[in-house]
């Protein structure tokens, strides 16, 4: 017989406090019954002798000090999982919200244990997204965590939808057809109703709905569930990847809302704030999510993460993008300037980076010339920026002839390569050929990042 | 004496408090609860002790027992460390993996270096010998490169009353017994040492040898020193980790201790997959034969992250005491500082700058001061070089960790975002970086590289600085307007930047470059500059002086001259002479060899 505690000491935002508790374990789940409401769940976040602080999922609205009862379960939070989750929609604590019930024999803890670096497999194969700027210049690797840094109003959702629609796994280790062992786990944290609708519709239109699992916590839903949403999603991803050998693409949006939820709870707990009021453990907390991407030695599957975050005021030094960038393996940055020039997807390639790209491209993966040609395009485009700044001061007519060629390269690069729109799908061959075509705008002597053999083979200037 | 038992009364993440703990000591190691989680006492007030826990506290209950171990947090030092990978408190990760899961289980207790493995022990003392602290009593061939000396621990001395025969033993076997005063000490194949205490040495020596890294921008322009300290600060994406990896691969230390502190799991895996395959150019053996990895990735418990750099430096000091040169890479010290901040926040301490605790500067200084070039207790020479990566928030070097680190390190290799964006790697900014060791090392460079090495270095730096000033003008009015000698500065700077400072970590002839080749390359560039300048002074226009294919050839010499064919560089000097001789002749100023 479980003991139920009937009297609370304090209710503060999402937290309740009670005393006289005999057995409480740190991080366990509690069941809360409130008169006249459906049962709620909560989690133990602090124990001080017999006083316990509990974070309540859903909301604390309607709870009084005397109208509720609390029972301790003795277990950390778990969600049921089976392969039937594909195609279903759940809320932030893993309950189905698409009208049907869900039952599975096995339950999994959502906290997730850290992967032993010895047990990891280094990610080495790429995912073709069909987007030239990503495939060619910031290649996405299977098992990578590559966030999209965006700003409010920029088309990150369209970009994410395009990736989901076009993503194809290069099957070097063939055998399985693409569609069967490839699935998407979608975690929505604090996004708007219409954004959620947009994603649902896009998944349907592109015919991937049956391969998508969604965990949704909308902007007006309880913030405590926002903390568990990505953890449920990643637990589902680990289950599919490591128990069923599937390749999983996890889209997590919006990480900024997630961090704000964390800050809200932290301040309710009266914790000492660090930068911009975010809790001191923000880095560790984000790492506990992002580090769940990867591949392990004793399973064939992989977890690739694309977290999406909006940079408040487009400031990349804000704690959320900053700490994210230190954990993730690169970043894809969207630019308001390109967006206003009507270049879509507006990926600013210079600050964008894929750290794992070097080991997953080139001979045997994409094409032998890929690393060098990408390098050359980066260096040429970064020179374009200098030339443009100069041309703005002295006028385009007065710059040297070679710099005029760079200006032309920059224009063509943006128009032809970046501006492919949200519906064009280019394979890697097409992307690389396009990059060579752009480089022909420049004379051979300028191509100092390319070795002469490659120039001979591909340069057609 | 029975071990003291206290009771858990408070749990908040990695911070746990226990009552009935008045006899616990500061910094003592304790085991907590049924799972025997490992923790360390960090404050005591009346009968309540605060403990930082090195493992996940999920599932811990109020009232569980806290058991004292009566010793501070220690590492076991003995054979089995080299080539191994440990977590922040020296638990071997490969052994944890062998338990059958790719994830890190909890409550694994205290396991360290392998107790079962038999080592070939060669005893080097005989009964009756008087042994002093630090003297060697046996040796073990630990890897193909490292001979592990078993040394008498610092506080112990005495007469050998029992000596085992040479043979195969595991580390728990007592091989020597010492009688000193009224005590008998049993010496096994390991000793324990508290991680927060520096190991004693006989004396510290002044800095005199560089740590050769094979990286041109470092060895030529901003050298590191054996026994010195260096910081590599840079925002994300500027290539800190890759620079650290390059140093771990190519620097001429005997042993590398690589501490992955709060960094990415995949990066550690990359090291684990790459290093065994890479060949150390000096020994011809696999790099793993001289490498120790300490890995506490960002999602592993935060308190162990705080401990990991101390574990690393203690291991480094232990091997230093055997007379080796050690380089320890800490990637990244900012993560360590954040771990301090996180724990400090949970302790509700008064925060200083940006939420960091007020003791951050003193902790940083204590850590970097453990770098040293020393004479060990047994009179040998050894050194520990510390190279710490710093990850300033937003790439802003004015934040507390970078500033406080800057005060205690002597080499500062500033990584630069805009260089990284242009894929100029290593993205070390030559204007902000500095090395405080130039004066200390000048003798070494003169003797071992060339008399005028440092002169050339200063000259090239001057050209780069000049270019920086000229670029301000160019940004306003364009390059064409400058006089020819200034345009030459720009052209030569381009050659230095692309042909010398940029170094391709993945090219077989470029990843690692000897100081001799560095000097010869620098001489080629100098020759080019001097001859070109001479022509310009004689009225030859820049359009002719800058011969594209000659400049191209010099810019790409780094790829085309292998270490064993440095003569090719002499040929290049001849080619330069030939071209400018003929040019001068054409303009009627020089001697014509017709």
């Amino acid at each position: 017989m479980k003991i139920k505690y009937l009297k609370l000491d304090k209710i503060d935002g999402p937290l309740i406090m009670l005393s006289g508790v005999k057995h409480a374990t740190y991080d366990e789940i509690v069941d809360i019954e409130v008169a006249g409401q459906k049962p709620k769940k909560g989690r133990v976040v602090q124990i001080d002798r017999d006083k316990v602080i509990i974070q309540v999922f859903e909301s604390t609205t309607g709870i009084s000090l005397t109208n509720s009862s609390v029972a301790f379960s003795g277990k950390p939070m778990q969600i049921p999982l089976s392969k039937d989750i594909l195609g279903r929609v759940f809320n932030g604590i893993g309950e189905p919200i698409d009208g049907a019930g869900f039952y599975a024999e096995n339950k999994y803890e959502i906290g997730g244990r850290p992967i032993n670096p010895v047990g990891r497999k280094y990610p080495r194969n790429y995912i073709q997204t069909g987007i030239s700027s990503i495939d060619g210049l910031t290649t996405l690797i299977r098992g990578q965590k590559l966030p999209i840094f965006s700003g409010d109003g920029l088309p990150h959702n369209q970009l994410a939808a395009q990736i989901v629609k076009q993503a194809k796994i290069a099957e070097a280790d063939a055998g399985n057809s693409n569609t069967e062992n490839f699935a998407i786990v979608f975690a929505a944290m604090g996004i708007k109703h219409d954004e959620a609708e947009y994603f649902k519709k896009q998944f349907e239109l592109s015919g991937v709905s049956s391969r998508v699992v969604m965990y949704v916590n909308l902007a007006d839903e309880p913030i405590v569930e926002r903390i568990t949403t990505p953890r449920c999603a990643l637990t589902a991803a680990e289950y599919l990847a490591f128990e069923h050998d599937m390749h999983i693409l996890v889209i997590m949006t919006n990480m900024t809302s997630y961090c704000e939820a964390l800050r809200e709870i932290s301040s309710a707990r009266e914790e000492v704030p660090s930068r911009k009021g975010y809790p001191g453990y923000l880095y560790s907390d984000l790492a506990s999510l992002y580090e769940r991407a990867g591949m392990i030695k004793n399973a064939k599957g992989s977890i690739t993460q694309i977290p999406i975050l909006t940079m408040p005021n487009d400031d990349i030094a804000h704690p959320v993008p900053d700490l994210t960038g230190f954990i993730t393996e690169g970043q894809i940055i969207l630019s308001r300037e390109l967006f206003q020039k009507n270049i879509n997807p507006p990926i600013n390639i210079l600050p964008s980076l894929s750290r794992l790209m070097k080991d997953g491209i080139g001979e045997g993966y994409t094409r032998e010339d890929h690393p060098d040609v990408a390098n050359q395009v980066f260096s040429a485009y970064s020179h374009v920026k200098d030339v443009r700044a100069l041309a703005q001061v002295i006028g385009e007519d007065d710059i040297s002839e070679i710099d005029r060629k760079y200006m032309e390269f920059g224009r063509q690069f943006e128009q032809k390569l970046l501006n492919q729109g949200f519906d064009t799908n280019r394979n890697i061959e097409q992307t690389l050929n396009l990059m060579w075509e752009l480089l022909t705008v420049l004379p051979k002597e300028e191509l100092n990042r390319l070795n002469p053999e490659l120039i001979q083979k591909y340069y057609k200037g | 004496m029975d071990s003291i038992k206290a009771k858990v009364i408070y749990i908040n993440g990695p911070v746990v408090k226990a009552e009935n703990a008045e006899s616990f000591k500061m910094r003592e190691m304790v085991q907590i609860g049924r799972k025997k989680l490992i923790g360390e006492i960090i404050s005591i007030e009346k009968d309540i002790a605060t403990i930082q826990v090195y493992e996940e506290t999920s599932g811990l209950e109020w009232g569980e027992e806290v058991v004292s171990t009566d010793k501070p947090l220690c590492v076991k030092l003995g054979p089995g460390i080299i080539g191994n990978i440990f977590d922040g408190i020296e638990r071997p990760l490969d052994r944890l993996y062998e338990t059958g899961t790719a994830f890190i289980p909890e409550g694994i207790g205290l396991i360290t270096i392998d107790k079962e493995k038999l080592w070939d022990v060669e005893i080097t003392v005989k009964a009756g010998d008087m042994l002093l602290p630090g003297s060697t009593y046996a040796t073990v061939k630990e890897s193909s490169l490292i001979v592990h000396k078993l040394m008498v621990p610092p506080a112990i001395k005495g007469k050998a009353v029992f000596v085992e025969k040479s043979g195969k033993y595991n580390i728990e076997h007592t091989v020597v017994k010492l009688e000193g005063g009224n005590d008998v000490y049993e010496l096994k194949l390991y000793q324990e040492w508290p991680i927060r205490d520096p190991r004693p040495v006989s004396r510290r020596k002044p800095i005199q040898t560089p740590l050769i890294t094979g990286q041109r921008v470092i060895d030529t322009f901003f050298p590191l020193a054996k026994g010195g300290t260096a910081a590599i600060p840079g925002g994300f994406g500027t290539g800190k980790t890759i620079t650290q990896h390059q140093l771990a691969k190519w620097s001429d230390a005997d042993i590398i201790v690589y501490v992955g502190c709060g960094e990415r799991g995949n990066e550690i895996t990359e090291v684990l997959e790459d290093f065994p395959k890479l060949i150390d150019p000096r020994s011809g053996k696999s790099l793993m034969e001289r490498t120790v990895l300490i890995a506490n990735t960002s999602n592993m418990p935060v308190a162990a992250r705080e401990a990991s750099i101390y574990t690393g430096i203690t291991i480094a000091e232990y091997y230093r005491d055997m007379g080796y040169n050690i380089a320890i890479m800490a990637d990244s010290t900012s993560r360590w500082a954040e771990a301090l901040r996180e724990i400090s926040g949970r302790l509700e301490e008064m925060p200083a700058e940006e939420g960091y605790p007020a003791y951050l500067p003193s902790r940083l200084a204590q850590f970097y001061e453990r770098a040293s070039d020393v004479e060990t207790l047994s009179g040998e020479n050894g050194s520990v070089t510390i190279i710490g990566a710093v990850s300033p928030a937003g790439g802003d070097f004015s934040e507390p960790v970078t500033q406080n680190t800057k005060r205690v390190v002597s080499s500062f290799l500033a990584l630069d975002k805009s260089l990284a964006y242009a894929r100029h790697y290593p993205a070390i900014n030559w204007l902000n970086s500095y090395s405080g060791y130039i004066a200390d090392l000048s003798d070494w460079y003169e003797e071992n590289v060339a008399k005028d090495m440092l002169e050339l270095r200063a000259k090239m730096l001057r050209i780069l600085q000049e270019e920086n000033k000229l670029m301000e003008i160019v940004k306003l009015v364009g390059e064409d307007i400058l006089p020819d000698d200034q345009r030459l500065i720009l052209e030569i700077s381009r050659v230095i930047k692309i042909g010398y400072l940029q170094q391709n970590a993945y090219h077989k002839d470029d990843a690692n470059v000897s100081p001799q080749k560095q000097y010869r390359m620098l001489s080629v560039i100098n020759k080019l500059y001097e001859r070109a300048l001479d022509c310009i002074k004689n009225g030859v226009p820049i359009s002719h002086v800058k011969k594209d294919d000659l400049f191209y050839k010099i810019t790409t010499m780094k790829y085309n001259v292998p270490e064993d064919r440095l003569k090719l560089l002499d040929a290049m000097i001849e080619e330069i002479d030939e071209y400018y001789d003929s040019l001068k002749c054409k303009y009627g100023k020089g001697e014509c060899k017709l």
Side-chain angles (χ1 to χ4, degrees):
Chain A
M1 177 59 208
K2 272 185 192 162
I3 303 172
K4 286 187 177 170
Y5 295 89
L6 297 174
K7 194 172 176 328
L8 307 181
D9 287 358
K10 185 178 167 188
I11 306 167
D12 183 2
L15 305 176
I16 58 174
M17 276 147 251
L18 63 161
S19 54
V21 180
K22 294 256 163 42
H23 291 287
T25 62
Y26 186 69
D27 214 26
E28 77 175 301
I29 288 296
V30 296
D31 293 302
I32 305 161
E33 276 171 35
V34 185
Q37 290 190 19
K38 70 181 178 59
K40 297 171 192 287
K41 285 186 187 308
R43 187 170 71 98
V44 175
V45 293
Q46 185 174 318
I47 300 174
D48 191 354
R49 292 176 195 264
D50 62 340
K51 288 194 206 64
V52 171
I53 302 182
I54 293 164
Q55 210 172 63
V56 183
F57 299 118
E58 296 155 74
S59 91
T60 46
T61 312
I63 302 184
S64 83
L65 294 180
T66 48
N67 74 347
S68 53
S69 78
V70 176
F72 289 82
S73 72
K75 289 194 206 90
M77 184 163 171
Q78 296 176 320
I79 54 168
L81 290 172
S82 77
K83 245 191 147 177
D84 298 334
I85 54 173
L86 289 169
R88 302 291 307 272
V89 184
F90 300 88
N91 68 5
I93 47 175
E95 297 166 348
I97 48 169
D98 49 3
F102 182 77
Y103 174 80
E105 199 118 304
N106 293 327
K107 291 188 164 183
Y108 293 80
E109 286 184 16
I110 65 160
R113 312 274 337 141
I115 303 180
N116 186 336
V118 178
R120 273 182 192 270
K121 219 169 15 180
Y122 188 68
R124 284 192 199 274
N125 213 338
Y126 78 112
I127 295 178
Q128 180 178 307
T129 63
I131 299 163
S132 291
S133 39
I134 297 180
D135 290 349
L137 299 163
T138 50
T139 318
L140 179 64
I141 306 293
R142 230 190 268 172
Q144 184 174 21
K145 36 194 179 294
L146 188 64
I148 298 174
F149 287 9
S150 181
D152 297 309
L154 293 178
H156 44 267
N157 290 341
Q158 282 95 312
L159 179 62
Q162 188 180 17
I163 294 174
V164 167
K165 205 157 55 183
Q166 301 180 349
K168 242 175 79 181
I169 285 176
E171 272 312 319
D173 47 324
N176 289 313
S177 77
N178 244 333
T179 47
E180 258 178 35
N181 68 348
F182 184 58
I184 290 138
V185 172
F186 185 84
M189 293 156 282
I191 67 170
K192 295 177 296 193
H193 280 84
D194 49 336
E195 283 178 282
E197 279 310 310
Y198 171 81
F199 277 110
K200 271 186 209 161
K201 204 169 145 208
Q202 287 296 319
F203 294 155
E204 271 161 34
L205 284 177
S206 49
V208 294
S209 295
S210 62
R211 291 190 280 125
V212 180
V213 194
M214 294 179 84
Y215 289 85
V216 182
N217 170 266
L218 297 171
D220 55 355
E221 288 175 341
I223 54 147
V224 178
E225 291 186 27
R226 204 161 293 163
I227 307 300
T228 53
T229 309
R231 294 186 164 81
C232 290
L234 287 164
T235 307
E238 278 167 6
Y239 167 78
L240 293 171
F242 301 146
E243 296 201 9
H244 291 284
D245 290 339
M246 294 177 82
H247 295 291
I248 307 297
L249 183 65
V250 184
I251 309 239
M252 302 195 287
T253 180
N254 177 325
M255 291 310 294
T256 311
S257 311
Y258 169 85
C259 294
E260 265 150 23
L262 209 60
R263 176 167 67 179
E264 193 174 331
I265 292 167
S266 164
S267 107
R269 288 175 63 184
E270 296 171 4
E271 292 173 333
V272 181
S274 89
R275 258 204 305 160
K276 291 213 172 164
Y278 290 97
Y281 50 80
L282 182 62
Y283 180 83
S284 302
D285 190 278
L286 284 173
S288 73
L289 299 178
Y290 296 142
E291 276 292 327
R292 290 173 80 173
M295 304 172 81
I296 59 174
K297 276 180 189 157
N298 45 17
K300 286 201 200 83
S302 64
I303 299 177
T304 311
Q305 281 185 11
I306 303 191
I308 299 172
L309 58 88
T310 46
M311 300 180 276
N313 197 22
D314 291 354
D315 175 14
I316 196 169
H318 183 277
V320 178
D322 192 51
L323 296 181
T324 297
F326 277 120
I327 307 166
T328 54
E329 284 135 352
Q331 63 279 337
I332 292 171
I333 298 182
L334 301 190
S335 137
R336 203 167 290 280
E337 188 195 335
L338 290 173
F339 181 61
Q340 271 152 358
K341 279 198 205 161
N342 209 10
I343 288 167
N344 280 314
I347 294 174
N348 185 2
I349 63 144
L350 290 182
S352 298
L353 171 77
S354 163
R355 287 168 190 272
L356 299 185
M357 168 176 177
K358 60 185 179 6
D359 295 306
I361 60 169
E363 209 164 352
Y365 300 110
T366 54
R367 208 169 74 181
E368 37 153 11
D369 55 322
H370 191 167
D372 286 359
V373 77
N375 210 335
Q376 183 68 60
V377 169
F378 270 121
S379 115
Y381 189 61
S382 92
H383 187 64
V384 168
K385 294 266 154 165
D386 295 342
V387 175
R388 278 189 186 155
L390 179 62
Q392 242 173 15
V393 181
I394 62 174
E396 204 168 318
D397 297 338
D398 284 339
I399 58 174
S400 67
E401 195 177 331
I402 180 74
D403 283 351
R404 256 198 295 275
K405 285 193 176 143
Y406 271 104
M407 293 284 277
E408 181 56 26
F409 170 82
R411 262 189 295 272
Q412 291 204 13
F413 175 81
E414 285 167 8
Q415 285 310 328
K416 287 188 181 163
L417 191 127
L418 293 186
N419 193 17
Q420 74 179 93
F422 291 113
D423 297 311
T424 317
N425 187 356
R426 293 190 192 132
N427 67 29
I428 187 74
E429 237 1 72
Q430 288 168 321
T431 295
L432 290 173
N433 290 343
L434 185 60
M435 282 157 72
W436 278 104
E437 188 189 318
L438 294 172
L439 287 176
T440 53
V441 174
L442 302 172
K444 224 187 268 184
E445 292 71 41
E446 288 295 310
L447 308 182
N448 52 30
R449 306 290 176 101
L450 289 167
N451 85 41
E453 289 151 42
L454 289 178
I455 297 189
Q456 186 119 38
K457 189 161 168 195
Y458 294 103
Y459 183 80
K460 309 223 162 50
Chain B
M1 187 188 86
D2 272 347
S3 48
I4 313 158
K5 284 178 183 160
K7 224 171 76 176
V8 172
I9 51 162
Y10 171 96
I11 310 162
N12 178 4
V15 173
V16 166
K17 288 183 187 168
E19 70 176 354
N20 206 2
E22 54 275 82
S23 49
F24 279 177
K25 299 184 207 68
M26 260 311 256
R27 294 286 171 201
E28 173 176 352
M29 186 166 59
V30 292
Q31 294 193 320
I32 304 139
R34 286 186 298 266
K35 287 183 183 162
K36 293 204 159 65
L37 307 175
I38 293 163
E40 185 180 3
I41 307 282
I42 51 173
S43 84
I44 305 169
E45 191 186 343
K46 291 190 182 153
D47 68 331
I48 294 175
T50 307
I51 306 164
Q52 72 177 15
V53 185
Y54 292 114
E55 295 180 79
E56 197 58 57
T57 49
S58 200
L60 196 63
E61 203 172 322
W62 165 52
E64 288 198 64
E65 239 170 33
V66 178
V67 181
S68 122
T69 60
D70 209 26
K71 58 185 179 191
L73 187 62
C74 283
V75 287
K76 257 189 193 163
L77 300 165
I81 292 178
I82 299 287
N84 215 334
I85 174 169
F86 300 100
D87 78 352
I89 48 175
E90 213 204 7
R91 294 185 298 196
L93 287 171
D94 51 352
R95 289 256 301 286
L96 295 187
Y97 176 64
E98 281 159 18
T99 58
T101 162
F103 298 90
I104 293 180
E106 53 190 19
I108 32 192
L110 250 194
I111 53 170
T112 61
I113 46 179
D114 198 336
K115 279 186 193 163
E116 310 298 325
K117 185 167 177 179
L118 295 177
W119 297 93
D120 256 322
V121 183
E122 203 176 308
I123 307 289
T124 56
V125 294
K126 52 187 187 304
D129 282 359
M130 188 65 195
L131 295 183
L132 294 172
S135 55
T136 304
Y137 57 87
T139 60
V140 171
K141 189 126 174 89
E142 191 176 358
S143 81
S144 61
L145 291 176
I146 304 300
V147 175
H148 190 117
K149 292 179 190 160
L150 298 168
M151 299 166 295
V152 179
I156 292 176
K157 63 179 173 186
K159 200 167 83 180
V161 288
F162 163 79
V163 173
E164 184 65 273
K165 289 192 289 294
S166 296
K168 277 185 182 298
Y169 304 108
N170 67 22
I171 59 164
E172 290 290 351
H173 191 89
T174 303
V175 289
V176 174
K177 281 184 191 161
L178 286 189
E179 202 180 68
N182 299 323
D183 295 320
V184 173
Y185 304 100
E186 295 191 346
L187 301 180
K188 301 180 176 179
L189 300 193
Y190 67 88
Q191 53 178 285
E192 289 190 338
W193 191 260
I195 60 170
R196 293 178 203 278
D197 295 345
R199 287 175 62 86
V201 296
S202 145
R203 70 182 179 96
R204 288 174 82 113
K205 297 192 302 182
I207 298 288
Q208 50 197 354
T209 348
L211 182 79
I212 296 299
T213 62
Q215 309 306 302
R216 285 184 295 260
V217 59
I218 297 176
D219 290 348
T220 306
F221 292 108
F222 310 106
L224 310 182
K226 289 209 173 92
T229 49
I232 307 182
F236 62 83
T238 48
K240 279 184 307 297
T241 300
I242 186 104
T243 311
Q244 290 274 36
H245 282 195
Q246 285 300 94
L247 295 180
K249 283 176 192 169
W250 308 121
S251 60
D252 70 344
D254 301 315
I255 295 171
I256 304 288
V257 179
Y258 193 95
V259 186
C261 175
E263 289 288 304
R264 306 174 181 89
N266 277 333
E267 283 171 358
I268 303 288
T269 311
E270 186 185 3
V271 172
L272 279 177
E273 287 190 11
D274 277 3
F275 276 33
K277 287 183 230 150
L278 286 168
I279 301 298
D280 175 19
R282 273 162 288 269
S283 65
K285 296 276 170 36
S286 151
L287 279 178
M288 215 52 205
E289 302 277 300
R290 63 157 200 181
T291 307
V292 184
L293 292 170
I294 314 273
N296 195 267
T297 59
S298 53
N299 55 342
M300 282 154 77
V302 64
R305 192 185 310 159
E306 193 266 335
S308 65
I309 69 165
Y310 293 107
T311 301
I313 191 92
T314 307
I315 288 175
E317 286 177 343
Y318 175 65
Y319 281 95
R320 172 202 66 195
D321 291 346
M322 297 177 204
Y324 288 111
N325 294 309
I326 324 293
I328 171 169
M329 276 100 202
D331 186 13
S332 131
T333 55
S334 293
R335 302 284 93 89
W336 169 78
E338 275 158 21
L340 278 186
R341 173 166 76 183
E342 190 172 329
I343 295 160
S344 159
R346 302 239 190 210
L347 293 174
E348 296 174 358
E349 292 173 338
M350 177 79 80
E353 224 178 330
E354 286 195 26
Y356 287 104
Y359 46 78
L360 172 73
S362 60
R363 292 279 171 90
L364 272 171
Q366 281 162 9
F367 170 65
Y368 280 104
E369 273 302 298
R370 288 176 77 171
S372 52
D373 191 353
V374 304
E375 191 184 299
T376 65
L377 291 180
S378 58
E380 297 199 61
N381 293 322
S383 68
V384 173
T385 311
I386 301 181
I387 302 162
V390 185
S391 322
D396 171 14
F397 288 178
S398 66
E399 58 91 44
V401 183
T402 316
Q403 283 308 316
N404 289 314
T405 303
K406 217 171 163 176
R407 212 168 44 233
V408 291
V409 300
S410 298
S411 289
F412 188 77
L413 306 171
L415 296 176
D416 187 304
K417 214 169 206 162
S418 59
L419 291 176
Y421 286 177
R423 301 308 188 254
H424 173 117
Y425 290 127
I428 294 172
N429 184 313
W430 49 91
L431 300 168
N432 299 349
S433 301
Y434 57 80
S435 167
Y437 297 121
I438 297 292
D440 297 326
L441 299 176
S442 60
D443 290 347
W444 189 92
Y445 274 100
E446 274 181 23
E447 269 165 45
N448 294 283
V449 188
K451 274 249 172 303
D452 58 340
M453 177 69 182
L454 293 181
E455 258 167 60
L456 274 185
R457 165 190 184 268
K459 184 169 173 185
M460 295 299 147
L461 272 183
R462 258 200 315 278
I463 293 179
L464 288 168
Q465 266 150 8
E466 179 82 26
E467 184 239 25
N468 185 50
K469 261 184 259 160
L470 293 175
M471 282 315 275
E472 302 281 305
I473 306 172
V474 171
K475 269 184 206 144
L476 292 176
V477 295
E479 199 175 316
D480 294 347
I481 226 127
L482 294 180
D484 278 357
D485 59 335
Q486 294 190 346
R487 289 189 62 185
L488 180 68
I489 295 271
L490 299 186
E491 292 300 341
I492 294 293
S493 297
R494 217 160 283 156
V495 173
I496 301 176
K497 280 192 274 183
I498 299 173
Y500 197 82
L501 295 176
Q502 283 183 23
Q503 193 163 347
N504 188 338
Y506 305 104
H507 192 282
K508 67 174 171 43
D509 290 323
D510 203 32
N512 173 36
V513 180
S514 69
Q516 282 70 26
K517 183 175 166 191
Q518 296 186 21
Y519 169 71
R520 310 268 283 257
M521 286 174 72
L522 216 51
S523 309
V524 172
I525 297 174
N526 183 45
K527 186 80 180 173
L528 179 73
Y529 174 64
E530 287 301 334
R531 292 305 313 260
L533 186 65
D534 175 54
C535 283
I536 282 174
K537 278 185 182 151
N538 283 300
V540 185
I542 183 92
S543 52
H544 284 125
V545 169
K546 190 190 172 252
K547 189 186 176 212
D548 284 341
D549 52 340
L550 183 66
F551 272 63
Y552 179 77
K553 205 166 170 185
I554 290 171
T555 315
T556 52
M557 67 184 162
K558 57 183 178 179
Y559 295 135
N560 301 324
V561 183
E563 286 289 338
D564 53 357
R565 296 180 64 196
L566 295 186
K567 286 233 161 59
L568 290 173
L569 292 172
D570 295 335
M572 224 166 259
I573 289 189
E574 272 167 36
E575 199 178 329
I576 294 170
D577 275 333
E578 229 164 79
Y579 174 72
Y580 288 107
D581 280 344
S582 73
L583 194 65
K584 242 172 131 183
C585 162
K586 222 175 6 192
Y587 280 82
K589 301 281 165 117
E591 302 278 315
C592 285
K593 286 184 254 167
L594 283 172

